[in-house]
Amino acid sequence: MSFLPSNIIYNFLISFGVIVGASLLAGIGALINDHPPLKTMFNIAGSVKIWAVAVALGGTFSSFEAIEKGIFKGEIKSIIKQAVYVVVAVLGANMGYGFIRLIQKCGESIIK
């Protein structure tokens, strides 16, 4: 995997999409099961954040291999590249979480 801006965009949007997609589908499941959908969406968004980052990175082992290569073979560029990918994936997951929080806040204000 080369260090391209498109990979950074993919990592961000994949982690964002995992959070939003999982939360929205959990909300549909909550409606079917007669549970509160907004609360369920918020709980799921918080619990899948780490998985969204792992999915965006393409699995954890490839990242560990790249970091290992950087540490033991002296390839600092590899460590920096993986660090950027991890930070971008975390940002995407947090933005997805924030988006779900925004939906929850808007839903609560409409209900009141």
Side-chain angles (χ1 to χ4, degrees):
M1 184 190 291
S2 62
F3 191 68
L4 297 172
S6 63
N7 290 338
I8 292 171
I9 293 168
Y10 284 141
N11 281 352
F12 178 85
L13 291 176
I14 288 169
S15 63
F16 182 87
V18 167
I19 298 292
V20 172
S23 297
L24 290 177
L25 290 175
I28 293 170
L31 284 173
I32 293 169
N33 289 320
D34 200 29
H35 293 152
L38 292 174
K39 183 177 185 236
T40 303
M41 289 171 64
F42 185 67
N43 290 339
I44 292 295
S47 66
V48 298
K49 279 169 56 172
I50 189 68
W51 295 109
V53 173
V55 167
L57 295 175
T60 56
F61 292 114
S62 63
S63 296
F64 286 136
E65 288 173 359
I67 291 170
E68 176 189 17
K69 187 191 309 184
I71 292 172
F72 295 120
K73 294 183 180 177
E75 296 181 16
I76 300 300
K77 184 179 177 186
S78 176
I79 294 174
I80 293 170
K81 179 171 57 169
Q82 286 304 312
V84 168
Y85 289 154
V86 168
V87 167
V88 167
V90 168
L91 285 173
N94 282 330
M95 291 277 292
Y97 182 76
F99 182 70
I100 296 302
R101 271 187 69 156
L102 180 65
I103 290 173
Q104 182 190 29
K105 296 260 187 222
C106 289
E108 289 173 353
S109 68
I110 291 172
I111 292 172
K112 291 180 181 178

